[in-house]
Amino acid sequence: MKILAIDTSCDETAVAITDGRKVIANAIYSQVLIHKKWGGVVPAIAKRAHEERIDLVINSALSKSKIKNQKSKINLIDCIAVTQGPGLAVALEVGIKKAKELADKYQKKLIAVNHLEGHIYSVFAQNRQGKPEREIKFPYLALLVSGGHTELIIFKDHLSYQVIGETIDDAAGEALDKAAKMLGLGYPGGPIIERLALEAENSDQFKFPRPMLHSPDLNFSFSGLKTSFYYFLKKQKKEKSFGGPRVLRQLASSFQEAVFETLIKKTEKAIMETKINNLIACGGVMNNKYLRKLLRHLAKKHHGQVLFPPYKYLNGDNAAMIGLAAYYKFKKKKFITDINTLDRIPRMQLTTIY
Ligand code: KG4
Ligand code: ZN
């Protein structure tokens, strides 16, 4: 059951070929270098870059797939899957248009996938040899942390989700990116902050606020933390106490600590409320080794376990995860019946598919 999956939700042009949970081929063209000089993703530039590269990335995935029939590899694909949302409207459009074109030209069925369910399914991806095996045992409590999202979700069964907490303003990854920008560091900021924090002598010297930690719900907020960081830096600069690599490391580390402690505490609250101690941790911020350590520790404390995406390329945006989610939709025959009606949903919610 081979699926060709496309994701153009943000700044990666991603195409993958999957077979059940196995990823047969994965191709990504990252636009990070293009957006770097602007300090963030510029939608119009993202759209152009997707349009320019999409065919190339599709061909790259097909040739990496080692499907035997050289001339018409795409004929051996059973179905096309594409991300419908959430994401940047103009970027999503490029992938959807291409998916419709392929489905129409090669007479393939089309499946629409929510980008967030893709991230959740990413932890069950396997290599060509079917490794890791990871039997799927519901229910899971999923923590999805990326540049666009911070969500706590009960993953009840295949395609069945309940969002129990989310950010009311900035996403955790976005907060890290903005803090890095204020410190004059590069983009994306998460990995740079991680590196600096590793070398800091005291991980939490400046004690920035932990927003919403005592709110009764499971929601997150990172905008207040960002503001407090901004004013702290302003004051430091005025007093001329800012500067020097040592202070920079302490600042990066203290900011990261505030973000991660919030994530951990809210996840712990969710574990206690839902009584689910099997965690899924996904999204680009899960590249962070320190956050992984904190989550492993948390799961152990509650006698559970945590699953991360098994290969590094599955943490950030990719189309392999879209192919995986699409496989479970395929099994339930959740096809787009009239491909002309398929349209992007930039603010698409994660809802259960019955
Ligand atoms: O999932 P992703 O690649 O794209 C979105 O869907 O947003 O996530 C990107 C986010 C960025 O905010 C980036 O700074 C963050 O993931 N990130 C990290 C690390 N690597 C990427 N954050 C912390 N530590 C990292 N090592
Ligand atoms: Zn994403």
Side-chain angles (χ1 to χ4, degrees):
M1 230 298 297
K2 291 192 179 56
I3 295 179
L4 184 145
I6 301 175
D7 183 292
T8 59
S9 58
C10 190
D11 59 345
E12 327 274 351
T13 314
V15 179
I17 317 275
T18 54
D19 188 351
R21 285 172 57 187
K22 291 184 193 150
V23 182
I24 305 301
N26 184 63
I28 297 184
Y29 171 75
S30 171
Q31 302 174 6
V32 164
L33 291 176
I34 304 177
H35 297 292
K36 214 173 180 139
K37 64 172 176 243
W38 309 102
V41 180
V42 185
I45 298 177
K47 175 187 161 76
R48 263 263 297 284
H50 282 310
E51 283 170 344
E52 282 168 9
R53 299 284 170 156
I54 185 108
D55 287 330
L56 202 93
V57 183
I58 290 173
N59 288 336
S60 162
L62 284 168
S63 64
K64 279 186 187 175
S65 72
K66 297 188 185 150
I67 294 175
K68 291 278 171 346
N69 190 337
Q70 282 296 327
K71 274 206 185 106
S72 56
K73 286 191 169 95
I74 202 153
N75 284 322
L76 299 171
I77 298 286
D78 298 288
C79 159
I80 310 285
V82 67
T83 300
Q84 184 173 21
L88 286 174
V90 291
L92 288 163
E93 260 166 28
V94 180
I96 292 174
K97 186 168 166 241
K98 184 54 71 178
K100 284 179 174 178
E101 223 176 273
L102 293 176
D104 187 43
K105 184 169 172 193
Y106 297 99
Q107 288 299 295
K108 304 287 176 192
K109 293 219 179 297
L110 185 58
I111 293 177
V113 173
N114 182 310
H115 183 78
L116 305 184
E117 67 185 336
H119 273 299
I120 295 172
Y121 272 100
S122 70
V123 303
F124 298 115
Q126 298 172 329
N127 66 12
R128 283 163 187 256
Q129 284 74 42
K131 295 279 182 321
E133 275 172 28
R134 282 191 187 173
E135 194 189 333
I136 306 181
K137 288 185 201 152
F138 294 106
Y140 291 96
L141 175 65
L143 173 68
L144 164 52
V145 192
S146 70
H149 298 277
T150 312
E151 317 247 343
L152 277 164
I153 302 149
I154 304 179
F155 187 24
K156 297 177 180 171
D157 199 346
H158 285 300
L159 312 178
S160 171
Y161 320 93
Q162 184 187 347
V163 177
I164 55 171
E166 61 193 337
T167 180
I168 57 167
D169 41 56
D170 294 352
E174 188 181 359
L176 292 168
D177 292 340
K178 286 179 177 168
K181 199 170 173 180
M182 286 184 227
L183 290 172
L185 307 168
Y187 169 85
I192 307 172
I193 291 205
E194 175 179 34
R195 231 175 301 129
L196 286 171
L198 272 177
E199 293 162 7
E201 290 145 38
N202 177 350
S203 65
D204 198 19
Q205 185 178 340
F206 296 116
K207 284 264 172 236
F208 293 113
R210 274 63 168 156
M212 311 268 289
L213 218 52
H214 302 291
S215 72
D217 55 31
L218 294 168
N219 289 336
F220 302 91
S221 159
F222 293 102
S223 145
L225 168 62
K226 178 185 68 187
T227 312
S228 120
F229 192 66
Y230 173 79
Y231 285 109
F232 186 84
L233 290 186
K234 208 168 156 180
K235 190 162 156 269
Q236 275 222 327
K237 280 178 190 162
K238 213 167 153 191
E239 292 167 1
K240 305 221 182 324
S241 50
F242 178 71
R246 203 185 71 86
V247 180
L248 192 65
R249 291 196 292 265
Q250 304 289 26
L251 283 166
S253 172
S254 302
F255 189 86
Q256 180 180 269
E257 201 67 40
V259 173
F260 289 179
E261 192 185 333
T262 310
L263 293 174
I264 295 296
K265 288 272 165 67
K266 284 279 168 163
T267 307
E268 180 158 39
K269 194 171 156 83
I271 294 175
M272 293 194 293
E273 282 183 17
T274 60
K275 310 231 173 345
I276 302 172
N277 60 359
N278 276 327
L279 309 182
I280 283 176
C282 53
V285 182
M286 290 307 157
N287 275 308
N288 192 294
K289 292 204 178 69
Y290 176 53
L291 178 59
R292 284 185 177 228
K293 193 173 132 192
L294 294 174
L295 283 164
R296 256 187 234 112
H297 182 81
L298 177 68
K300 203 169 159 199
K301 180 175 165 194
H302 292 272
H303 312 288
Q305 57 160 340
V306 55
L307 296 175
F308 297 103
Y311 302 105
K312 195 169 164 53
Y313 75 89
L314 294 160
N315 287 321
D317 286 347
N318 65 86
M321 66 186 194
I322 303 302
L324 240 78
Y327 167 61
Y328 292 95
K329 291 197 161 177
F330 185 98
K331 289 218 258 190
K332 288 195 174 175
K333 300 195 167 46
K334 301 290 173 194
F335 305 115
I336 300 296
T337 40
D338 175 4
I339 69 167
N340 296 315
T341 61
L342 180 67
D343 198 4
R344 82 276 190 289
I345 308 178
R347 296 185 173 273
M348 193 176 190
Q349 301 288 318
L350 190 62
T351 45
T352 297
I353 313 287
Y354 293 101

